[in-house]
Amino acid sequence: MIQPLAERMRPHALDDYVGQKHLVGEGAALRRMIDAGRIPSFILWGPPGVGKTTLAQIIAGRLEIPFYTLSAVTSGVKEVREVIEKAKNGRFFHSSSPILFIDEIHRFSKSQQDSLLGAVEKGIVTLIGATTENPSFEVISPLLSRCQLYVLKSLEKDELTDLLQRAIWQDTELSKKKIRLAETEAMLRYSGGDARKLLNILELVVESAAGNEVEITNEYVVNVLQQNPQAYDKGGEMHYDIVSAFIKSIRGSDPDAALYWMARMIEGGEDPKFIARRMVISAAEDIGLANPNALLLANAAFDAVTKIGWPEGRIPLAECAVYLAASPKSNSAYMGIGKALETVRKTGNLPVPLHLRNAPTKLMAELGYGDGYKYAHDYPDGFVEQQFMPDRLQDERLWNAQHTPAEEKLYQRMLRCWGDRFKN
């Protein structure tokens, strides 16, 4: 049986590995450790199809040490303990620790992750975890503190184009055909920086052509993929496309579309907590001050899914998705913190005005720390005008209200307090 193109093109040496030069290029931190023959436990965080599994396999081959692999989707605590026992029994004195590679480590439960701690801490195994999710949310703190974290990036256009050319000329099957790569934009666009998806598309496009001569154009690629809408989505690789459509449907106030894309994720086996987490983000970013209750409901939906599990968890998720989509929208807080961060990066560490400084010591009080500060609760309506920004930024505006009914109330209070300063 012929392997899929993506598997046939999987590199076995760092010199053939595409992308991630910031990690494995000449002189990069991880490359230096590999060249030195000793690596720490670490977690690879990045989108699908950027080489997380491949990198782990290359490292194990380069260091010539045993390589054990587990999938968080199919393995439990029992399987973890069995692999750790094998690693312990098969290790020779002074030899390097075997590598235990765990794909989709974000899907491991707390108890499964707890079962790894001792082996990682004692050096029985060198853990390499792969995840598409932020490890800060999904990996327990004790395990995360024992691992380095390396972030992998989506592949750049020139890297993907190079991969296409390599496949056409080097692959044992494709090299038998006369393939002309006339245009690449459509394939690159559909791949979204995912090398595996790109090779799947290339294989499908070539297989769809009659005869041994194939000219690949943007129009031809689009036609092939429209006729085979699921063919290039092997293993749920449209994960990021679908969640993007889901969030944009909420932002665009279309509850029907939000439910449809949520159903696609559910049917595709998506982690319910991933869906819930994206809605918490959307509630803060897109609904924001137009309806502050949206964030409360999104948090409640996340909590409900965690407590009741699946399949009943789909009900609070659906309730939340409809509520968020139907809510008025404002991104003023999101835009405000973005502008504030940009201002801080441009202006640096500006001094805190003296009247706002803390004065816990006698010396600080003598230096004038806190002098002139007015306690807001001592004044009518809990407000008194004074300067809170650094001197250089006292006239700077960072938050600009958007005039939804709920946010308008906040805006009108700011006008009453600050007058012209808050006029949009």
Side-chain angles (χ1 to χ4, degrees), residues 70-76 102-109 112 130:
L70 290 174
S71 170
V73 178
T74 58
S75 304
I102 300 180
D103 196 18
E104 299 189 87
I105 195 171
H106 60 277
R107 290 180 181 256
F108 257 11
S109 66
Q112 288 169 310

Side-chain angles (χ1 to χ4, degrees), residues 60 72 142 167 214 224 238 277 387 413:
V214 186
V224 169
M238 282 188 72
R277 189 161 48 251
Q387 180 185 327
R413 181 171 189 273

Side-chain angles (χ1 to χ4, degrees), residues 111-405:
S111 61
Q112 288 169 310
Q113 293 184 39
D114 281 337
S115 67
L116 291 167
L117 275 176
V120 173
E121 194 167 41
K122 294 172 185 174
I124 295 169
V125 295
T126 298
L127 174 66
I128 302 180
T131 178
T132 55
E133 296 297 309
N134 188 331
S136 300
F137 297 122
E138 299 297 338
V139 179
I140 59 173
S141 296
L143 186 58
L144 194 58
S145 68
R146 289 163 173 80
C147 298
Q148 297 286 336
L149 176 63
Y150 296 115
V151 181
L152 280 73
K153 303 173 183 177
S154 293
L155 300 185
E156 301 291 339
K157 180 180 177 180
D158 58 341
E159 293 168 336
L160 293 167
T161 304
D162 179 57
L163 186 61
L164 286 173
Q165 295 289 0
R166 281 198 210 182
I168 290 170
W169 291 105
Q170 296 177 10
D171 177 64
T172 52
E173 297 299 318
L174 296 192
S175 60
K176 296 174 185 176
K177 298 176 180 283
K178 188 176 180 181
I179 301 171
R180 180 172 175 265
L181 197 59
E183 296 173 316
T184 61
E185 288 81 4
M187 283 198 292
L188 297 182
R189 186 173 68 250
Y190 277 113
S191 76
D194 182 329
R196 184 170 55 246
K197 185 189 289 188
L198 180 68
L199 293 174
N200 286 340
I201 293 171
L202 174 62
E203 187 172 34
L204 174 64
V205 167
V206 172
E207 287 174 353
S208 300
N212 283 328
E213 293 194 13
V214 186
E215 182 175 47
I216 299 177
T217 64
N218 292 333
E219 183 180 5
Y220 180 56
V221 170
V222 170
N223 288 337
V224 169
L225 296 185
Q226 285 177 347
Q227 292 163 15
N228 301 271
Q230 295 302 322
Y232 65 94
D233 186 28
K234 298 174 184 176
E237 291 169 14
M238 282 188 72
H239 167 92
Y240 285 97
D241 296 337
I242 290 177
V243 75
S244 174
F246 174 60
I247 293 302
K248 287 170 181 171
S249 299
I250 290 175
R251 186 180 297 141
S253 300
D254 188 335
D256 293 332
L259 286 174
Y260 170 78
W261 293 117
M262 177 183 283
R264 285 282 298 273
M265 287 189 282
I266 291 170
E267 283 298 298
E270 185 58 80
D271 182 355
K273 289 193 294 183
F274 172 83
I275 301 172
R277 189 161 48 251
R278 288 303 178 273
M279 289 198 289
V280 171
I281 295 168
S282 177
E285 178 181 341
D286 295 315
I287 289 91
L289 295 171
N291 181 6
N293 286 331
L295 184 57
L296 300 178
L297 185 66
N299 268 305
F302 188 103
D303 189 42
V305 167
T306 304
K307 286 177 178 175
I308 67 178
W310 212 242
E312 290 83 359
R314 74 190 189 283
I315 303 167
L317 288 183
E319 178 185 349
C320 183
V322 171
Y323 185 82
L324 297 186
S327 287
K329 306 295 186 294
S330 170
N331 70 346
S332 67
Y334 169 75
M335 298 297 287
I337 188 59
K339 191 173 180 182
L341 288 169
E342 183 183 352
T343 301
V344 168
R345 289 172 192 135
K346 284 180 179 176
T347 59
N349 297 320
L350 297 177
V352 176
L354 276 176
H355 68 284
L356 297 182
R357 295 187 191 185
N358 188 28
T361 69
K362 183 180 178 183
L363 175 61
M364 288 178 174
E366 290 172 353
L367 291 173
Y369 282 30
D371 278 0
Y373 171 66
K374 300 172 185 175
Y375 187 56
H377 297 292
D378 289 341
Y379 296 84
D381 199 27
F383 174 81
V384 59
E385 189 168 344
Q386 58 188 318
Q387 180 185 327
F388 292 98
M389 291 284 265
D391 293 342
R392 248 181 79 184
L393 300 175
Q394 57 181 308
D395 297 320
E396 187 81 12
R397 284 289 310 282
L398 300 177
W399 176 63
N400 290 286
Q402 295 173 9
H403 301 289
T404 59

